[in-house]
Amino acid sequence: MPKVTVDGEEIEVPAGATVLQACELAGKEIPRFCYHERLSIAGNCRMCLVEVKPGPPKPQASCALPAADNQEIRTDTPMVKKAREGVMEFLLINHPLDCPICDQGGECDLQDQAVAYGRGGSRYERENKRAVTEKYMGPLIKTIMTRCIHCTRCVRFSEEIAGVDEIGALYRGEDMQITTYLEQAAAHELSANVIDLCPVGALTSRPYAFEARPWELKRTLSIDVSDAVGANISLHSKGREVMRALPRINDDVNEEWLSDKGRYQVDGLSKRRLDKVFMRKGGKLQPVAWNEAFDAVAAQLGTAKSSIAAVAGDMVDCETMFAAKSLLKACGSTQIEARQTGMTYDVSNIAAVNFNSTLAGIETADAILIVGSHIRWEAALVNARIRKAVKAGAKVFVVGPEWETTYPAEFLGEDLKVLNRVPKALGDAMKAAERPAVILGGAALSKGALAPALKLVDKFGLVKDGWNGFNVLHMSAARMGSLMLGFTVPGGMADIAAKAPKVLLSIGADEMDYEPFADSLKVYIGHHGDRGAHAADIILPAASYAEKDGTYVNTEGRVQFAEKAVFAPGDAREDWTILRALADALGVNVGFDSFTELQGKMIAAVPALGEEGLADYGALPEADANGKAEGTISTYPIADFYLTNPIARASAVMQQCSAELLHADEIKEAAE
């Protein structure tokens, strides 16, 4: 490890570190625009200049200079100060004076560094400023490219992280422009991350334009519930409205990225909301009081309190599911299920349905078999990690219909029988791999492929010292939490329908089929007027994930806690309070009167839910030697990436993305 001296202080730095990283290890702040820890080095903004000896007597770009033994680095000399002032002056020569109307104002790197490292005055007089025509990058990214300083962060992100070569540079010198090729929309699931990366106001959020300034917003730590990755986010609210969602850095989960759906579905939180209690009378939903709705449920059950079932949706927190389970247990019922779309698989060993490699660990896999998963749509951030593995040399094989991957992959067809008789190319790659991995998606689980896939553990050597390569990729933010709480019945939804319950509690279940429950009193506890509300006989308005505290478990078994950002609208209440009040109406005792008591009871029942971090599910079960994979995977569960949950379907931004980015070819002009 090289030893360098930074401003008179000698430190040891890791081999391969740059001078910029060495300075940061020494606690020195180095200004930069083009450099980013997760992107390749460009070295084109020249803001990170330092003086290095031995070396030429001139400032050098610290981001592109390797640290070496016995280097003497100075960050505070007059030469460095003058050089940085000169670079800043050049950057500002063509930059427009847009700060009062720029959405980047208040969180702009250029503003901050101009104050800290720029000249105290301007020498600009009457020279013409460079101007650039506006570009169109889709419904999410607003562009004012005259502000662009050519740091190329957006270009490098699109190529290196997202794997979609949609943004690039045209022309040279003063004429250089950053644009999408053919000036079409940036149509991939991680496109809006370039907004966070842009150090100036060239790329800003189109839906958030002119909405608020950063100092007006309250920040709340939360979890993205649009998929099962559990990306760490920060909800920024103003008054009672969530204005935007931004990613938080967590290297184990989402690094610092966020899918477009997780970022932009938040405008749906204020649209199509359920804010009153409704009951169906004469075929129409009519507003009623809470007591009348509760009395109707109690009257329907009568003395047969055990004839009640509960189905939880994809975005429900663990506390709500535990409250529902407690209510049904007090009523004498065990009819609870969270796999609302009808999937059934063995949940006696949760390790068999966990993402055991961990999200960060899948980057180190060197051979990956994906079975029945359109990963780009089901977990865009996991797809970005698999791309990292491929860049490091991993081979990827896919069983299922073809989809546009962002890395080289070999499709093995749609027949699941390839799990029984493994093709030679796949077998050779897996046996040669030191860290082989298998990823089962929702389409594979629905076809009963879990048991046959477990036989691959021994065949491919998926479990070794310090490595478990058997993974199940869920799509529901509530799935792993429901499995830990035992919120399932062996036969799934079919078992519940066969019992013909008098009352069905639908807790945010908007993707299930309500037809088998035509004779049940359907009580929908949810926050949006979506499919569940349309099928309901009684609607009890509840809080969304942004309007309550809650625990979520992601697809790798990581327990995480989300905080309440805003209050629910109108008469809507937090789910657990609705279930607690319903218990009183039914005359049963659930054992809690506050959220703290509820959480304490839940943690006492499942201690792992009280510790943030990865839960330990033990070893994988023994594979069934007689299990055979049969059937074909003809479709994937997600047909539209942007419209997978009630919040997204209520979002005008997500509706526009779906129409423009996925279905533009299907829209007919009036003349047609």
Side-chain angles (χ1 to χ4, degrees):
M1 292 172 60
K3 289 184 178 179
V4 300
T5 304
V6 181
D7 291 344
E9 178 188 349
E10 186 176 79
I11 62 166
E12 204 170 20
V13 299
T18 64
V19 169
L20 186 149
Q21 291 167 327
C23 292
E24 291 196 330
L25 286 173
K28 303 296 180 181
E29 182 182 276
I30 303 295
R32 85 290 299 268
F33 292 113
C34 69
Y35 175 80
H36 191 278
E37 293 82 356
R38 302 186 197 278
L39 303 177
S40 63
I41 293 170
N44 55 10
C45 78
R46 318 310 286 179
M47 195 64 208
C48 62
L49 296 173
V50 296
E51 190 176 345
V52 181
K53 295 177 182 177
K58 63 177 184 179
Q60 299 190 61
S62 59
C63 70
L65 186 65
D69 255 334
N70 302 318
Q71 271 182 340
E72 185 181 339
I73 304 164
R74 301 295 305 190
T75 68
D76 54 1
T77 63
M79 179 198 291
V80 171
K81 183 176 184 295
K82 184 177 180 182
R84 290 176 179 172
E85 287 177 353
V87 170
M88 181 58 69
E89 196 168 20
F90 273 118
L91 289 175
L92 294 177
I93 280 175
N94 285 311
H95 197 78
L97 301 176
D98 277 352
C99 297
I101 60 160
C102 178
D103 274 311
Q104 198 83 344
E107 48 193 5
C108 175
D109 292 350
L110 189 63
Q111 278 185 334
D112 296 341
Q113 293 183 39
V115 170
Y117 303 101
R119 286 170 51 88
S122 171
R123 292 185 286 180
Y124 183 82
E125 291 186 0
R126 284 181 288 276
E127 292 84 0
N128 292 326
K129 279 185 179 283
R130 169 182 181 266
V132 181
T133 55
E134 297 311 330
K135 315 297 178 189
Y136 182 71
M137 291 192 184
L140 303 179
I141 305 169
K142 178 185 175 186
T143 65
I144 301 182
M145 300 312 289
T146 300
R147 300 171 184 163
C148 179
I149 61 169
H150 303 158
C151 71
T152 68
R153 281 185 181 182
C154 55
V155 177
R156 284 175 284 148
F157 173 83
S158 298
E159 293 179 355
E160 297 165 14
I161 307 297
V164 181
D165 295 340
E166 289 191 338
I167 302 178
L170 299 179
Y171 317 123
R172 300 173 66 186
E174 191 184 50
D175 297 322
M176 180 176 168
Q177 297 182 25
I178 303 293
T179 181
T180 52
Y181 297 112
L182 306 179
E183 295 201 21
Q184 292 180 337
H188 60 88
E189 302 75 26
L190 300 173
S191 65
N193 287 288
V194 299
I195 295 167
D196 296 337
L197 287 172
C198 184
V200 296
L203 304 178
T204 55
S205 172
R206 188 179 292 274
Y208 178 69
F210 310 125
E211 290 291 332
R213 287 299 194 184
W215 54 84
E216 300 176 289
L217 304 175
K218 182 186 81 171
R219 290 159 176 77
T220 308
L221 307 183
S222 189
I223 302 297
D224 173 31
V225 297
S226 66
D227 56 28
V229 174
N232 289 206
I233 61 174
S234 173
L235 294 176
H236 293 195
S237 56
K238 184 179 180 182
R240 298 189 65 164
E241 185 177 355
V242 175
M243 305 300 291
R244 62 178 179 177
L246 295 181
R248 288 186 285 132
I249 296 177
N250 187 329
D251 287 337
D252 293 327
V253 183
N254 58 303
E255 299 178 283
E256 60 184 82
W257 317 126
L258 183 58
S259 74
D260 290 351
K261 180 168 53 181
R263 184 185 298 263
Y264 282 115
Q265 69 173 7
V266 292
D267 77 304
L269 290 170
S270 58
K271 297 178 176 67
R272 289 169 54 180
R273 287 302 299 267
L274 300 173
D275 57 359
K276 292 180 182 176
V277 182
F278 289 93
M279 186 184 299
R280 198 172 294 276
K281 297 179 178 180
K284 291 185 177 181
L285 289 168
Q286 305 287 345
V288 296
W290 284 95
N291 289 344
E292 186 177 345
F294 288 149
D295 291 345
V297 177
Q300 175 75 3
L301 283 175
T303 56
K305 289 180 183 174
S306 62
S307 186
I308 183 173
V311 179
D314 290 346
M315 299 189 292
V316 180
D317 56 290
C318 292
E319 285 82 358
T320 296
M321 286 187 281
F322 183 78
K325 185 177 180 180
S326 300
L327 173 62
L328 265 69
K329 184 179 179 181
C331 291
S333 172
T334 58
Q335 298 302 298
I336 51 178
E337 185 56 78
R339 297 168 293 181
Q340 57 172 323
T341 54
M343 281 194 287
T344 56
Y345 44 82
D346 182 15
V347 296
S348 57
N349 188 316
I350 303 180
V353 289
N354 185 46
F355 202 93
N356 294 296
S357 298
T358 72
L359 301 179
I362 198 66
E363 293 179 8
T364 64
D366 42 11
I368 303 172
L369 171 63
I370 301 169
V371 185
S373 178
H374 186 327
I375 291 190
R376 271 188 71 174
W377 284 5
E378 294 172 17
L381 295 168
V382 177
N383 192 63
R385 289 193 183 268
I386 293 175
R387 177 173 161 75
K388 278 191 186 180
V390 172
K391 288 172 74 175
K395 294 182 179 178
V396 176
F397 302 86
V398 184
V399 177
E402 292 195 17
W403 47 278
E404 190 177 344
T405 61
T406 56
Y407 38 78
E410 182 178 339
F411 284 84
L412 303 176
E414 302 178 3
D415 198 331
L416 282 169
K417 289 181 180 177
V418 298
L419 302 183
N420 304 327
R421 299 188 64 183
V422 175
K424 186 176 185 303
L426 173 61
D428 291 347
M430 286 292 185
K431 287 171 184 173
E434 291 184 12
R435 296 165 81 89
V438 170
I439 299 175
L440 255 65
L445 291 177
S446 65
K447 294 290 184 179
L450 179 59
L454 280 167
K455 294 197 297 182
L456 300 177
V457 173
D458 292 332
K459 184 180 287 188
F460 292 157
L462 296 179
V463 179
K464 303 176 182 180
D465 286 343
W467 177 252
N468 185 337
F470 188 82
N471 304 299
V472 170
L473 181 63
H474 296 292
M475 296 172 287
S476 161
R479 183 69 73 245
M480 290 301 291
S482 70
L483 298 180
M484 291 174 72
L485 288 165
F487 206 89
T488 57
V489 289
M493 293 297 297
D495 265 16
I496 293 178
K499 294 283 175 60
K502 287 187 174 183
V503 172
L504 173 71
L505 294 181
S506 168
I507 308 170
D510 288 284
E511 319 302 328
M512 67 175 281
D513 180 10
Y514 285 92
E515 192 172 336
F517 301 94
D519 297 329
S520 303
L521 179 73
K522 295 175 283 295
V523 181
Y524 179 73
I525 303 173
H527 39 79
H528 276 79
D530 204 77
R531 298 165 185 168
H534 291 177
D537 300 307
I538 295 175
I539 294 174
L540 305 177
S544 71
Y545 76 99
E547 296 149 6
K548 60 185 174 183
D549 293 331
T551 304
Y552 297 91
V553 187
N554 75 351
T555 191
E556 62 176 347
R558 185 177 299 277
V559 179
Q560 303 184 110
F561 190 75
E563 298 176 2
K564 178 178 180 176
V566 293
F567 288 97
D571 292 336
R573 299 290 182 266
E574 294 180 27
D575 309 61
W576 75 268
T577 63
I578 297 173
L579 294 165
R580 176 65 185 81
L582 183 56
D584 282 347
L586 298 179
V588 297
N589 179 25
V590 289
F592 57 84
D593 294 313
S594 68
F595 183 79
T596 304
E597 287 182 14
L598 165 62
Q599 201 171 50
K601 293 269 186 183
M602 179 186 76
I603 293 170
V606 186
L609 289 174
E611 300 177 17
E612 288 196 287
L614 289 174
D616 183 6
Y617 300 129
L620 289 170
E622 291 291 326
D624 181 3
N626 298 318
K628 293 283 186 183
E630 295 180 351
T632 59
I633 297 174
S634 55
T635 58
Y636 294 112
I638 294 180
D640 189 321
F641 168 74
Y642 297 102
L643 304 176
T644 57
N645 63 65
I647 299 175
R649 288 191 285 268
S651 163
V653 177
M654 292 294 96
Q655 293 279 0
Q656 186 181 355
C657 286
S658 173
E660 183 175 331
L661 303 181
L662 293 185
H663 306 295
D665 295 339
E666 301 169 17
I667 299 173
K668 301 236 179 237
E669 297 291 339
E672 297 180 77

